[in-house]
Amino acid sequence: MRRPLLAIILAFVLGEIGAVSWWNSLWLFPLLTAVTIRVAGTGRLRIFMSASFCVLFFLSGFFLMENMQQNYAKFEEMLSAHNGTVEIYGKISGISNKDSSYQYELKNVRIHTDREEIGCKAVSVVCCENMGASPGDTVAVTGSYQMFANARNPGNFDEKNYYHTMGIAGRFMGETMVITGKARFPAAAALAGMRNTLNETLYRICNEKEAALFGAILLGEKGRLDPVTKSLYIGGGIAHILSISGLHLSIIGSGIFSLVRRRFLFATSGLISAAAVLAFGIMAGSPVSLMRALIMFSIKLLAEVTGRTYDLVLATAVAAFLILADNPFYIFHTGFQLSFLAVLGIGIPLPVIEAYFSTDRKILKAFQSSLGITVLTCPVILNIYFEIPLYSPIINLLVIPFMEVMLLSGIFASIAGSFVVAAGYILIGAGCFVLRFYEFICRFFFGLPFFTITVGKMTGRSIFLYYLVIAAAVLVMALVNKRNLDENYRKVRLMKRGFIWAVAALLAVLLAGRPENSLKITMVDVGQGEALLIQTPAGKNICVDGGSTDVGSAGKYRLIPYLKSLGISRIDYFIVTHLDEDHTSILTEIFSDYDGFGLKTECFIFPRVISGEEDCRKFVEKARLLGISTRFFDVGTTLSDDRVAIRCLHPATDFPTDDKNETSLVLELEYGNFQMLFTGDIGEDGEKALIDSGLLTDCDILKVAHHGSTESTTEEFLKEVSPEFALISCGVDNVYGHPHPLTMERLSNNGIKSFTTAEKGAIVIRSDGKNYEIDTYLE
């Protein structure tokens, strides 16, 4: 019964995926049904029942996900049309403190507008101060609706998807909150108070950085984590220890069970430890990895109490089913994916791998386990961070053995320190030593070559082939294990090693992806600013500008994630058209955290006409200190790469102007029959100088100057270059009114179709030198 049940649960999961990507999952359904029938037997009744259950669960998963999608869309449509204050009623299920504000999660919500009432499963309410409410309280809130932000570029954080995966339909900025009913069961409020007390104690007994780490690891409080330390953990492949998981439960549950077992019967001890684990889960906020562990821990206790055999794979499947039945969007939650893949890696391929490489050495077995989990979770990690932590299996091998010491030290110190601070100081010492050891290990490997390898985001097809190769490899190893080949026979050892190396090479090819074989130009959406990326067929990466005035840390949150999602870790040329902040703020970010960004730049290019200015000299000096070369462009300077040529058309070194915008570099890109013109922020004077120079020719695409300002893109200039399409980089609802209606009217009157990043997000152009196509990220 176990295998058909697993297939049926898998059908439910595939149905949920199919609701979002129907054609990508539909073709898997016949294969799933065939496998289910095969493992169920050949009897007609079994075949009929297995196929029927697969159809039923596939459709139920599909319609459940589709229904939630429709509800989210309806919710957003109704509230986005309402700009006033709304009244919200619901029960508080969780409270967190982040960025000097308090975030309340409300469940079973009713929202009243001036027109109608809307109901939804959960919303988030952000308040500037603590409203005095506790988990379990029912509250009435007045506030305004704030839409979740969509990702504007590939690789960027998608706020809407993140909150929807957690079942949160919307966010409200709370103005007032009134408690209409206290919690019926005060345990939740008491646990929340305990969580706050323990967290405050941690900050009293150790320094801020280590207290934040303990808060994340023990209590799920991640709002105060040090960004540098977090980046080290991510780069070392040990970010998983910052999330509460099954390891916490096994230590807490097993410890309590062993303690109470001395006095109580087996069943009673199991119930007490299960209650303690459940209380810890509620206190920690019940993240998805912890919910999975709670369900599996409960199943294991139930099996032990009833004398039944515990099946890890079946327990994992049941946990997935229960979690997804409550919130189907969890299928896209990275915590869900990593947690379940790690457990399945231990339950399915690891026993086969251990038998294939039979060894009695504990360290080799531990390494096999670490390597197996890393390989299985690699596609998910790539789709989050776009990098492979190369030394992750080794670092985890050094880190995991000390987890129990660190957890127990933190737990006992926070509890004892709440009563006697001196006791907390003494008990926290071992845990702090372990955390410092973790940081030392990560920094040590950080200094080694290839600490991380930027690979980029994997395509759906590559992910499928990746896991197909792993499944085939495990199947082959299982067949080899059945034959009981003599390990002392040299040819057998060579055959086994050769097979593993072949599998590793195939997986590496799938991870590496395929390079662009055509010209690709992307206008990255950085808000009110500008950043363009040129990828040549020969593999050169060229950035033209990088800055924003309305998006904080636009490099960290917009440009760098996009580059890494493409597998780009090196910029060959970074061209700065002029030094305004909306074109250089990302450059400043790169200079201030060159190593942390993980992006190496070979050469910066500036206009020669500003080479003597103080601001330019500062940029050049910073580049020199980092070992980056600099060049200066004026009229006639050319960058060539295979068939791609980028020529500077403006400004001449003697161009007379006091306006910095007019000295912007104007670049013409030519690739076969395709031409594109980059105009920086030049105005009417710069355009007139270009027309008089006689250097302008017709182009296919025009990068509109100065974000569509009315002072640029004159009628005479448009007639001279006569583009088919125009691209404009500007922020949504920016204070400058870009692009100006008069500019858009001029473009339209000349038959030029325009695209703006404010409406379309990232804009991508691909050309083979003869034809070209334009794609936009949001539409």
Side-chain angles (χ1 to χ4, degrees):
M1 181 61 191
R2 179 173 72 88
R3 291 181 179 178
L5 180 59
L6 290 176
I8 288 168
I9 291 173
L10 181 59
F12 178 83
V13 174
L14 289 176
E16 292 180 339
I17 298 173
V20 175
S21 185
W22 171 260
W23 293 108
N24 286 343
S25 63
L26 184 62
W27 65 274
L28 287 172
F29 182 66
L31 176 64
L32 172 71
T33 307
V35 171
T36 307
I37 293 171
R38 174 68 182 83
V39 298
T42 55
R44 291 183 181 179
L45 181 60
R46 287 187 176 184
I47 292 174
F48 176 76
M49 291 298 292
S50 298
S52 299
F53 273 114
C54 272
V55 171
L56 175 64
F57 275 81
F58 184 85
L59 292 177
S60 66
F62 175 85
F63 287 115
L64 183 59
M65 175 69 90
E66 187 174 47
N67 183 58
M68 288 194 71
Q69 281 185 296
Q70 291 174 352
N71 287 342
Y72 283 148
K74 182 180 178 182
F75 174 90
E76 189 170 277
E77 181 183 355
M78 294 172 72
L79 282 174
S80 59
H82 178 83
N83 297 321
T85 300
V86 297
E87 296 177 345
I88 311 160
Y89 301 89
K91 180 181 289 187
I92 296 176
S93 60
I95 305 172
S96 58
N97 183 2
K98 187 176 181 181
D99 298 331
S100 302
S101 63
Y102 290 82
Q103 184 169 298
Y104 296 83
E105 184 179 328
L106 271 60
K107 287 193 174 182
N108 303 321
V109 176
R110 290 178 296 112
I111 303 168
H112 293 273
T113 69
D114 54 1
R115 297 180 180 178
E116 56 192 317
E117 179 181 314
I118 308 168
C120 66
K121 187 175 181 179
V123 299
S124 174
V125 177
V126 179
C127 300
C128 296
E129 57 184 14
N130 190 344
M131 295 298 187
S134 302
D137 292 348
T138 53
V139 295
V141 182
T142 59
S144 56
Y145 173 64
Q146 184 183 71
M147 290 183 65
F148 289 133
N150 287 109
R152 308 287 302 179
N153 307 284
N156 287 183
F157 174 66
D158 193 325
E159 186 183 45
K160 179 186 288 187
N161 181 66
Y162 172 77
Y163 280 102
H164 282 184
T165 60
M166 297 192 297
I168 298 175
R171 176 171 57 205
F172 295 83
M173 307 308 293
E175 297 169 5
T176 64
M177 179 182 291
V178 177
I179 301 173
T180 59
K182 296 297 292 182
R184 294 182 181 179
F185 303 100
L191 289 170
M194 184 185 298
R195 182 188 191 187
N196 292 333
T197 300
L198 295 177
N199 196 40
E200 290 171 4
T201 300
L202 287 170
Y203 281 89
R204 284 199 298 268
I205 61 177
C206 52
N207 65 52
E208 187 172 347
K209 184 171 77 172
E210 288 168 353
L213 283 168
F214 275 118
I217 295 168
L218 299 177
L219 305 171
E221 289 279 1
K222 298 183 180 180
R224 303 185 193 178
L225 277 174
D226 175 47
V228 176
T229 306
K230 185 178 179 181
S231 297
L232 275 176
Y233 278 46
I234 292 170
I238 60 170
H240 58 86
I241 71 172
L242 298 175
S243 300
I244 298 173
S245 62
L247 182 59
H248 297 68
L249 296 192
S250 64
I251 292 172
I252 295 170
S254 301
I256 293 175
F257 182 82
S258 301
L259 188 63
V260 299
R261 181 70 181 89
R262 299 175 182 177
R263 185 167 183 180
F264 298 100
L265 295 174
F266 187 87
T268 306
S269 301
L271 289 173
I272 292 173
S273 59
V277 164
L278 179 62
F280 175 77
I282 295 172
M283 184 180 69
S286 301
V288 65
S289 57
L290 188 57
M291 288 193 293
R292 188 269 308 159
L294 277 169
I295 295 170
M296 294 182 67
F297 183 79
S298 301
I299 294 173
K300 185 175 182 179
L301 280 178
L302 184 62
E304 291 181 358
V305 170
T306 57
R308 303 295 294 272
T309 302
Y310 174 69
D311 189 310
L312 176 68
V313 178
L314 183 58
T316 306
V318 171
F321 179 79
L322 293 174
I323 291 171
L324 293 174
D326 177 63
N327 177 16
F329 273 87
Y330 266 133
I331 192 70
F332 302 108
H333 193 285
T334 53
F336 176 94
Q337 295 167 357
L338 289 172
S339 181
F340 279 92
L341 280 173
V343 174
L344 289 175
I346 295 171
I348 298 176
L350 185 59
V352 177
I353 294 170
E354 288 178 340
Y356 189 81
F357 295 104
S358 55
T359 179
D360 295 328
R361 298 180 181 179
K362 291 184 178 180
I363 190 168
L364 288 179
K365 285 187 175 183
F367 181 76
Q368 288 173 0
S369 177
S370 177
L371 183 62
I373 293 173
T374 300
V375 169
L376 209 62
T377 57
C378 192
V380 179
I381 292 171
L382 279 179
N383 282 8
I384 304 171
Y385 305 115
F386 318 119
E387 296 174 324
I388 296 176
L390 191 61
Y391 302 110
S392 173
I394 301 173
I395 296 175
N396 274 282
L397 194 63
L398 297 170
V399 163
I400 296 299
F402 298 98
M403 276 289 290
E404 186 170 355
V405 174
M406 186 263 294
L407 286 173
L408 292 176
S409 172
I411 291 169
F412 287 125
S414 58
I415 294 173
S418 301
F419 300 97
V420 181
V421 175
Y425 276 123
I426 296 170
L427 293 172
I428 203 69
C432 289
F433 178 81
V434 172
L435 290 179
R436 290 165 193 168
F437 172 71
Y438 286 176
E439 184 172 348
F440 168 77
I441 289 294
C442 289
R443 289 190 181 277
F444 172 78
F445 281 96
F446 182 78
L448 298 180
F450 308 111
F451 179 64
T452 58
I453 301 176
T454 303
V455 175
K457 190 172 184 177
M458 295 180 71
T459 64
R461 179 178 297 179
S462 295
I463 292 173
F464 171 73
L465 292 175
Y466 180 90
Y467 285 117
L468 186 64
V469 169
I470 292 176
V474 171
L475 180 61
V476 170
M477 285 190 286
L479 293 173
V480 170
N481 293 340
K482 285 185 178 180
R483 298 188 65 179
N484 294 319
L485 299 176
D486 186 3
E487 286 288 333
N488 295 320
Y489 191 42
R490 184 171 178 271
K491 287 187 177 180
V492 171
R493 294 198 305 270
L494 290 175
M495 178 196 71
K496 284 188 172 183
R497 292 171 184 172
F499 175 72
I500 291 300
W501 280 111
V503 171
L506 189 54
L507 292 179
V509 169
L510 291 171
L511 288 173
R514 293 183 299 177
E516 291 282 342
N517 56 6
S518 61
L519 175 69
K520 181 179 176 182
I521 304 169
T522 306
M523 177 174 274
V524 184
D525 185 350
V526 290
Q528 185 59 26
E530 197 160 287
L532 294 107
L533 172 69
I534 302 169
Q535 296 169 266
T536 71
K540 295 292 185 183
N541 301 309
I542 304 166
C543 274
V544 180
D545 286 332
S548 177
T549 55
D550 67 344
V551 175
S553 301
K556 181 179 180 180
Y557 297 114
R558 295 284 180 98
L559 180 60
I560 304 299
Y562 174 64
L563 295 175
K564 289 189 175 182
S565 74
L566 299 175
I568 295 174
S569 59
R570 189 192 79 255
I571 297 297
D572 296 283
Y573 299 99
F574 200 120
I575 303 173
V576 182
T577 61
H578 63 296
L579 299 182
D580 279 356
E581 182 186 1
D582 59 341
H583 290 250
T584 61
S585 67
I586 293 174
L587 183 63
T588 303
E589 286 183 67
I590 293 173
F591 280 140
S592 63
D593 193 11
Y594 190 61
D595 289 331
F597 269 45
L599 181 72
K600 303 302 179 186
T601 304
E602 299 295 329
C603 179
F604 284 108
I605 296 174
F606 301 94
R608 185 174 296 281
V609 72
I610 65 168
S611 60
E613 295 182 7
E614 180 64 22
D615 289 342
C616 185
R617 287 202 299 268
K618 287 180 180 178
F619 277 120
V620 171
E621 179 61 21
K622 289 177 182 177
R624 187 189 65 80
L625 292 174
L626 292 171
I628 305 171
S629 64
T630 54
R631 290 179 60 181
F632 296 95
F633 270 19
D634 54 17
V635 175
T637 309
T638 302
L639 275 181
S640 296
D641 177 39
D642 195 15
R643 295 168 55 205
V644 177
I646 300 176
R647 286 182 289 273
C648 178
L649 307 183
H650 177 84
T653 52
D654 58 350
F655 179 70
T657 183
D658 294 326
D659 188 343
K660 290 193 296 184
N661 288 333
E662 296 288 10
T663 61
S664 298
L665 287 176
V666 175
L667 307 169
E668 180 188 58
L669 180 146
E670 185 175 357
Y671 177 53
N673 295 327
F674 173 79
Q675 288 183 315
M676 181 171 175
L677 191 63
F678 302 82
T679 54
D681 273 0
I682 62 168
E684 189 173 349
D685 290 344
E687 290 180 351
K688 186 176 185 306
L690 277 166
I691 295 170
D692 294 341
S693 71
L695 296 173
L696 289 176
T697 58
D698 291 353
C699 66
D700 297 294
I701 298 175
L702 169 68
K703 196 290 297 181
V704 173
H706 207 179
H707 319 285
S709 165
T710 187
E711 295 147 4
S712 305
T713 322
T714 60
E715 285 282 351
E716 295 77 13
F717 183 76
L718 289 176
K719 285 182 168 52
E720 191 71 24
V721 296
S722 61
E724 291 185 86
F725 295 93
L727 310 185
I728 303 173
S729 180
C730 57
V732 178
D733 298 326
N734 63 85
V735 296
Y736 306 100
H738 292 159
H740 198 279
L742 289 177
T743 303
M744 301 301 289
E745 184 180 345
R746 287 197 291 267
L747 291 170
S748 178
N749 291 342
N750 283 274
I752 303 167
K753 185 176 181 181
S754 59
F755 296 90
T756 68
T757 56
E759 292 182 353
K760 306 294 186 180
I763 304 167
V764 180
I765 305 148
R766 288 183 175 86
S767 175
D768 59 3
K770 297 179 182 178
N771 303 304
Y772 65 91
E773 60 181 18
I774 301 176
D775 295 317
T776 58
Y777 182 64
L778 295 183
E779 291 183 20

